[in-house]
Amino acid sequence: MERSRLEKLQRLKEKNLAYPHKFQVSYEIGQIRSKYEKPTDRKEVSVKGIVKRISKLEDGYIVRISSKAGIEMLAMCNEELKTGEEYILKGNIGRYEGKLCLFSAKPVEDDNPLEIENLKAEYDLDPNFEEISLAGRLITLRSMGKAIFGHLQDASGKIQIYIKKDIVGEEAFKDFEELVDTGDIIGVRGKLFRTNTGELTVEVESFNLLTKSLHPMPEKWHGVKDVEVRYRQRYLDLIANEEAKKIFLLRSSVVGELRNFLNREGFLEVETPILQHVASGANAKPFITYHNYLEQNLYLRIAPELYLKRLVVGGFNKVYEIGKNFRNEGVDTTHNPEFTMLEFYVAYWDYKDLMDFTERLISHVLLSTVGTLKINYREKELDFTPPYKRYAYFDLLYEKTGKEKEFFLKDLEGLRKLAKDLGVPNADSLTHAKLIDKVFDVLVEDELWGPCFVLDFPKILSPLAKTHRQDADLVERFELFVAGKELANAYTELNDPLEQRERFLEQLREKEMGDEEAMQMDEDFITALEYGMPPTAGEGIGIDRLVMILANVDSIREVILFPALRRF
RNA sequence: GAGCCGGUAGCUCAGUCGGCAGAGCAACGGACUUUUAAUCCGUGGGUCGCGGGUUCGACUCCCGCCCGGCUCACCA
């Protein structure tokens, strides 16, 4: 804690001004901005302006340009402009932190450019001295002597405040100067106006310090870069780094739109146990915990699958759950020990119905969050316009190796040799199923860039999927691949309890042969199947990975608010 | 778990060959009533991740440990 701030807090306490219980706000910051700032639809325009200030970003420059009369806006530009020079800039009109901004701006010759005033008149409305009260964290302060400017911020946006000695009075002005720091949370009451440069601003008539920050804020220009601070103290990341905040707002709207879509399609949202007696439904190592009263070990679920299918047995024909799964495995850029999955099940559908449905679901999420089906990921385009390409599992392997399905399923030693030649680690000790999986991984997965379905997996990889109607070696299963990563996994569900028991037994044999991730037998689930589960299809979608793709980030930690880290 | 890279002021980062620990922002004092990465003048601020070792002398070289990043292995 910083000593000067503690001393200020002490004085606030003496004046009985510290930590008030309530401050009435008339708007959220983002609300008042959207009331007076119209959406821009990215129209291409040319604007005339004088360059006032240039700031370098990682990629290009952000430029403040001004009209002759001093009205200002921003421009994002890749070319280096000269301060003080007048340019005509052509670009797409948008907003950056609420301010009008010309994106992809390029200097051009144009005999009929707009004035900044024209754009402002169109998109930025006159607040007409509306009386409002707002609160937020004070993130910048610019003292001019007898007047002070600053910005208040919350997750919805930021807004400028203007504190004038004449207006707030001698004593309040002195209090502000002596007791308020950047980082404090303050409430203001006053009139909305626009400054000479055109920025929406609260002319403060009175203010209250609501909460003192006892630590200085991260640096305003560079933000917080240290990932240890960003992940362990995510609140600082959210305050200081606009990009980080945007990712989590995006994540929230993705999850919201998934719910909207599924609810509209007649699905029922349910919650199933996270503490389970049997860790099954996926191939993974579980976390083990202990329940004192029950006097037994429980597992944190590795998947909700077997419980959701029990609900289909119970007559809930369309169910879904969005929730955490827990897997006691490595941590890296695509794996966090707890991660969020959407799983849904539909009675009387098969996996082909699910492919069509997946295309509709993804389309809905993309259009309602990022607003387009074509996005850039890692410098390459991803086009989610349906239909996605569909490839049969063994066709992909045949293309790469010239070998047919029989080779992979029957010639274990030949397969083992192929795996070794491909450099698959521990090829000598892997089980048959693992070998196929690894070989597919090495040969094919990275190349599945555009969204595509891989379908008809070998049965030995899929203990819960129904045998293929045309080929007893296969199951009716598909995975959706995007950017070389598995994004969704789905199949026609195995609903024959006798066959399901055999498949579990096969898994137990795999476990004995050294596959630690082979599935556990779930007798209670088989009992449920014995009562009869209708023909059903089910699917799981990794929410974290979906958000990674939409946010164009390559680490799962960027889309999880508090990712798993070692205790410091 | 292995290999490589990193940890220096509240934040972002420099620190040469082993020779007094640096800048910008933030903070503190002062000027400034439409500024906006405000500007101008001045001041203070360090367990150089932790612990050993080498050396007259270590942020710097060596060893061990902690934390993180990337790559790999396991996994979605």
Side-chain angles (χ1 to χ4, degrees):
Chain A
M1 284 182 290
E2 198 174 68
R3 193 193 305 158
S4 69
R5 288 173 186 251
L6 274 171
E7 285 165 5
K8 288 175 190 176
L9 176 62
Q10 193 52 45
R11 286 166 60 195
L12 284 163
K13 285 185 170 169
E14 283 159 13
K15 291 177 156 220
N16 206 20
L17 292 174
Y19 303 113
H21 293 77
K22 169 81 181 173
F23 180 84
Q24 187 68 47
V25 297
S26 56
Y27 292 98
E28 242 193 333
I29 292 169
Q31 267 181 325
I32 195 70
R33 291 203 75 133
S34 51
K35 181 169 178 185
Y36 291 109
E37 295 174 344
K38 291 205 290 195
T40 56
D41 68 25
R42 298 243 149 197
K43 204 167 71 185
E44 184 166 83
V45 292
S46 299
V47 190
K48 192 164 73 179
I50 303 156
V51 172
K52 299 299 259 192
R53 177 167 213 130
I54 301 171
S55 308
K56 191 150 179 27
L57 299 178
E58 281 132 46
D59 188 25
Y61 302 89
I62 182 161
V63 181
R64 234 171 66 218
I65 56 173
S66 143
S67 68
K68 290 231 164 58
I71 304 291
E72 294 184 354
M73 67 177 288
L74 302 173
M76 292 284 190
C77 188
N78 284 322
E79 287 158 72
E80 197 165 350
L81 307 177
K82 286 204 187 76
T83 311
E85 298 276 306
E86 186 176 76
Y87 291 90
I88 296 164
L89 295 173
K90 188 171 198 161
N92 303 94
I93 188 75
R95 289 190 184 276
Y96 180 79
E97 294 182 350
K99 293 183 190 178
L100 278 182
C101 180
L102 204 59
F103 287 90
S104 315
K106 285 197 182 76
V108 291
E109 303 292 319
D110 188 329
D111 41 13
N112 194 20
L114 294 170
E115 297 289 340
I116 292 172
E117 279 84 345
N118 301 136
L119 283 174
K120 288 272 188 178
E122 188 175 351
Y123 295 111
D124 285 355
L125 309 179
D126 182 359
N128 214 11
F129 300 105
E130 179 177 351
E131 285 276 354
I132 56 162
S133 58
L134 296 175
R137 190 179 295 273
L138 185 66
I139 50 158
T140 55
L141 262 186
R142 295 174 293 280
S143 168
M144 307 281 300
K146 296 189 179 62
I148 300 169
F149 287 91
H151 274 92
L152 291 188
Q153 175 183 281
D154 64 24
S156 73
K158 61 175 88 166
I159 192 162
Q160 183 164 260
I161 59 170
Y162 178 47
I163 299 167
K164 217 167 148 183
K165 200 172 196 170
D166 296 353
I167 296 176
V168 296
E170 194 98 12
E171 191 163 334
F173 194 82
K174 193 170 161 230
D175 275 354
F176 193 93
E177 282 186 308
E178 289 182 0
L179 298 172
V180 177
D181 291 299
T182 54
D184 294 349
I185 295 167
I186 66 172
V188 298
R189 277 173 287 264
K191 292 191 183 77
L192 265 185
F193 75 112
R194 285 188 184 277
T195 60
N196 288 343
T197 59
E199 178 159 358
L200 191 64
T201 302
V202 185
E203 186 181 73
V204 175
E205 284 156 5
S206 68
F207 65 88
N208 294 77
L209 201 157
L210 304 178
T211 307
K212 188 101 198 116
S213 170
L214 298 177
H215 294 280
M217 284 294 107
E219 206 246 3
K220 64 189 163 198
W221 188 242
H222 298 94
V224 186
K225 289 208 171 135
D226 183 346
V227 292
E228 291 234 35
V229 176
R230 292 189 49 230
Y231 300 157
R232 291 183 203 276
Q233 294 177 276
R234 183 67 89 178
Y235 45 92
L236 293 179
D237 193 30
L238 296 174
I239 292 166
N241 299 330
E242 177 77 10
E243 280 309 306
K245 184 184 84 184
K246 273 198 202 148
I247 289 171
F248 292 105
L249 293 177
L250 171 67
R251 179 179 178 127
S252 179
S253 62
V254 165
V255 173
E257 289 301 335
L258 282 170
R259 284 205 166 91
N260 282 346
F261 182 80
L262 290 163
N263 291 345
R264 213 169 58 204
E265 294 281 329
F267 282 77
L268 186 73
E269 182 170 13
V270 297
E271 292 174 278
T272 62
I274 285 170
L275 295 173
Q276 302 183 346
H277 296 98
V278 178
S280 200
N283 299 107
K285 280 180 251 175
F287 287 92
I288 303 172
T289 187
Y290 181 77
H291 192 288
N292 291 340
Y293 179 80
L294 297 177
E295 296 182 320
Q296 57 191 212
N297 280 334
L298 291 170
Y299 300 97
L300 270 61
R301 74 171 171 205
I302 55 176
E305 172 156 357
L306 302 187
Y307 280 94
L308 290 171
K309 284 195 274 201
R310 285 167 169 89
L311 296 178
V312 180
V313 171
F316 287 1
N317 285 345
K318 285 178 147 185
V319 290
Y320 74 97
E321 178 165 10
I322 293 174
K324 291 275 181 78
N325 290 350
F326 305 85
R327 300 190 184 174
N328 203 343
E329 283 152 0
V331 175
D332 63 30
T333 47
T334 50
H335 298 87
N336 196 63
E338 52 181 299
F339 62 101
T340 304
M341 286 274 285
L342 160 67
E343 282 202 20
F344 55 95
Y345 291 81
V346 190
Y348 313 114
W349 284 15
D350 65 12
Y351 76 138
K352 288 184 178 158
D353 296 317
L354 280 184
M355 279 189 265
D356 301 337
F357 184 74
T358 302
E359 290 172 347
R360 287 174 52 220
L361 179 145
I362 299 270
S363 297
H364 171 81
V365 169
L366 262 70
L367 289 172
S368 57
T369 57
V370 292
T372 169
L373 294 177
K374 291 182 183 168
I375 61 173
N376 279 312
Y377 185 69
R378 309 285 90 182
E379 319 294 317
K380 280 199 258 181
E381 188 181 73
L382 280 171
D383 185 353
F384 285 90
T385 308
Y388 308 158
K389 292 205 171 71
R390 299 178 183 196
Y391 305 108
Y393 188 91
F394 281 108
D395 287 354
L396 290 170
L397 280 175
Y398 180 78
E399 261 177 49
K400 289 286 171 187
T401 64
K403 293 183 194 307
E404 309 269 354
K405 183 185 80 180
E406 276 62 35
F407 166 78
F408 292 96
L409 294 181
K410 304 279 155 41
D411 184 357
L412 177 55
E413 286 322 304
L415 176 61
R416 198 179 294 283
K417 182 171 181 313
L418 174 64
K420 268 195 265 189
D421 293 345
L422 290 170
V424 171
N426 311 317
D428 287 316
S429 57
L430 291 179
T431 62
H432 195 169
K434 281 271 177 192
L435 277 173
I436 298 181
D437 202 22
K438 287 287 134 195
V439 167
F440 184 86
D441 191 2
V442 171
L443 286 176
V444 183
E445 271 193 24
D446 290 348
E447 292 178 21
L448 301 175
W449 180 262
C452 63
F453 294 113
V454 175
L455 48 149
D456 300 339
F457 279 62
K459 190 189 278 184
I460 54 173
L461 287 179
S462 317
L464 301 168
K466 194 165 192 164
T467 303
H468 199 282
R469 62 196 82 176
Q470 276 145 12
D471 185 339
D473 292 331
L474 305 179
V475 289
E476 298 197 348
R477 171 181 174 189
F478 70 82
E479 289 189 349
L480 172 62
F481 281 88
V482 178
K485 295 275 185 318
E486 182 193 334
L487 197 66
N489 180 21
Y491 31 86
T492 309
E493 301 296 336
L494 175 56
N495 60 342
D496 173 349
L498 306 180
E499 185 176 352
Q500 183 66 75
R501 178 180 298 281
E502 280 311 311
R503 301 273 198 96
F504 274 135
L505 289 172
E506 178 57 36
Q507 286 294 302
L508 296 181
R509 284 193 287 275
E510 290 275 314
K511 216 177 191 66
E512 275 170 27
M513 286 161 69
D515 181 358
E516 285 184 273
E517 279 133 20
M519 256 179 231
Q520 291 182 13
M521 170 77 79
D522 188 338
E523 289 286 354
D524 193 53
F525 170 64
I526 293 174
T527 305
L529 290 188
E530 286 166 2
Y531 281 92
M533 182 172 82
T536 297
E539 176 164 345
I541 297 179
I543 302 298
D544 311 279
R545 289 190 175 175
L546 176 60
V547 177
M548 282 170 69
I549 286 163
L550 298 187
N552 191 15
V553 295
D554 52 17
S555 171
I556 200 168
R557 297 180 203 102
E558 295 296 330
V559 303
I560 293 176
L561 281 166
F562 298 99
L565 294 178
R566 214 176 287 272
R567 183 172 183 170
F568 195 53

